[in-house]
Amino acid sequence: MIKDNPIELIIERNHPELSRMQKRQFKAITCSADLGDEADMYKVKTIVLHGSVVPGKEEQAASILIAGSELVDELDAEDTYLWHPKRALKKALDLRVHAFGERDLRTAEAMHQFALMEDLELDDCFDMLAKALEIRKASLPQDHPDIGESVLSMARHFYNDCEDAKSALPFAVRAVKVFETADPDGKLSMKHVGALKVMANILDELGKIPESRECYEKAYAMCLKWHGLRHTHTAASAASLAQCLRDWYPHEIFKSVELRRLELKTMEVMAGMHNHETASCRENLAHDLQACCWLHDLRDVEKSVSEIGGGN
């Protein structure tokens, strides 16, 4: 057994090709993470040989080996050769496949994260997402949040990448149902809100406007409940609902003003008075106020016409 032998002896016997610096790093990482089997040793060797650990970062590298797919988050760009996200996530995926096998839930997590890379080919992205979902479905309850995460990513893939709202809708509906069942206490509220917003966008694209509005309203209500008025998530949900009212319910434009004001006040605090995002919020509020004035004038005209008998 590896743990029965001094680590220096194991390194000298099994990994003679390593340089003195690499051997020191190998020992530091292994001892820090308390690693003890052949799969762990393979992971350490892979990291060391690719120069992805600088002196002084061995303990951090050990936490990476334990976390697996958190490789990108754990090492700063300037500290690692593998700073490129796609390359780093691919390395994390390879490590998990080798250590745990292709059907393990930890491998599915790494597959899912790798599939979300922006420059991945559409077919490769779909294959990765589908395989991760298949593994999760085989091992987890059907209302598990990880399954919700997977089907939500499938919905986003079809809607954003493939521009296929019709194919995306069933996945979005499934994601919302999973989070509704799995998250009664709101611990995953942002994932639930994200699913509602994706479904709202898809329904909007398909011309199902009342259903789309209902999703936006639910998302806004959830943010109010779990985050309160002065929170960026609440502001973002308010803006989405306000935009829906502006686009499809001009006769209710008055309702959007308070939503726009909430968004503006939040951004003034979070981003600053002179930030471009704050300026954009002011422009949206001004646009909706102008629409309110126009609607008010129109109603005055209609009232005047009706009073003089021109209503017919």
Side-chain angles (χ1 to χ4, degrees):
M1 291 294 294
I2 289 176
K3 285 190 174 182
D4 294 334
N5 296 302
I7 187 63
E8 293 89 348
L9 179 61
I10 295 171
I11 295 172
E12 289 295 337
R13 184 180 62 199
N14 297 340
H15 310 290
E17 73 279 15
L18 298 179
S19 67
R20 291 179 62 186
M21 173 62 77
Q22 289 172 335
K23 288 176 182 177
R24 285 199 297 270
Q25 289 187 331
F26 197 115
K27 178 182 177 181
I29 294 171
T30 305
C31 293
S32 178
D34 193 26
L35 304 175
D37 56 36
E38 292 292 346
D40 289 332
M41 291 298 173
Y42 171 83
K43 290 188 287 184
V44 175
K45 181 177 178 181
T46 302
I47 291 289
V48 170
L49 282 177
H50 282 79
S52 59
V53 182
V54 297
K57 292 292 183 180
E58 289 83 5
E59 186 174 350
Q60 195 175 27
S63 67
I64 292 169
L65 293 174
I66 296 171
S69 61
E70 295 178 0
L71 182 63
V72 178
D73 298 328
E74 292 292 333
L75 278 184
D76 296 330
E78 62 268 25
D79 292 335
T80 174
Y81 168 75
L82 295 175
W83 66 270
H84 190 280
K86 184 177 181 180
R87 209 183 313 176
L89 284 175
K90 182 62 168 66
K91 179 62 61 178
L93 174 57
D94 290 344
L95 291 175
R96 286 203 172 188
V97 170
H98 181 84
F100 308 120
E102 292 192 354
R103 305 295 300 178
D104 190 88
L105 286 172
R106 289 161 290 190
T107 303
E109 179 194 16
M111 285 180 182
H112 181 262
Q113 290 192 26
F114 184 74
L116 301 182
M117 294 301 303
E118 291 183 359
D119 58 346
L120 207 63
E121 294 291 333
L122 289 182
D123 289 344
D124 293 338
C125 176
F126 175 80
D127 290 343
M128 283 280 190
L129 288 174
K131 192 169 184 180
L133 177 58
E134 179 187 352
I135 295 170
R136 286 172 165 176
K137 280 185 172 181
S139 304
L140 297 170
Q142 292 307 298
D143 59 353
H144 193 280
D146 286 352
I147 291 181
E149 182 181 51
S150 279
V151 292
L152 179 57
S153 293
M154 291 289 278
R156 285 178 169 142
H157 170 69
F158 280 113
Y159 179 66
N160 295 325
D161 301 335
C162 303
E163 299 182 354
D164 185 355
K166 187 175 181 180
S167 296
L169 183 58
F171 290 103
V173 171
R174 176 63 180 148
V176 169
K177 288 182 179 179
V178 168
F179 289 125
E180 283 178 348
T181 304
D183 188 35
D185 299 324
K187 295 178 180 179
L188 304 172
S189 60
M190 286 321 301
K191 290 185 177 180
H192 193 171
V193 167
L196 283 167
K197 287 185 175 181
V198 169
M199 192 161 107
N201 292 336
I202 293 170
L203 290 167
D204 186 294
E205 182 79 15
L206 295 173
K208 299 182 178 182
I209 307 306
E211 295 91 336
S212 175
R213 176 179 177 172
E214 183 180 353
C215 289
Y216 285 128
E217 289 174 338
K218 284 183 178 179
Y220 176 57
M222 285 189 65
C223 286
L224 276 178
K225 179 178 180 180
W226 299 115
H227 303 293
L229 275 173
R230 294 294 177 261
H231 196 284
T232 52
H233 295 324
T234 306
S237 293
S240 297
L241 178 55
Q243 191 63 43
C244 176
L245 293 173
R246 176 198 290 183
D247 291 342
W248 300 109
Y249 297 89
H251 57 290
E252 296 185 50
I253 194 66
F254 296 100
K255 295 180 180 178
S256 77
V257 172
E258 286 306 310
L259 297 170
R260 297 293 190 188
R261 283 178 174 158
L262 184 153
E263 179 194 19
L264 175 58
K265 289 177 181 178
T266 303
M267 293 308 299
E268 285 177 344
V269 173
M270 301 302 297
M273 298 292 289
H274 305 293
N275 185 276
H276 71 279
E277 293 181 5
T278 306
S280 177
C281 292
R282 290 195 187 99
E283 289 176 3
N284 284 326
L285 175 57
H287 182 283
D288 288 1
L289 285 170
Q290 188 176 34
C292 287
C293 293
W294 178 84
L295 185 60
H296 184 272
D297 292 343
L298 178 62
R299 287 177 177 175
D300 282 347
V301 171
E302 290 176 341
K303 183 179 179 181
S304 298
V305 171
S306 178
E307 287 176 351
I308 64 174
N312 295 325

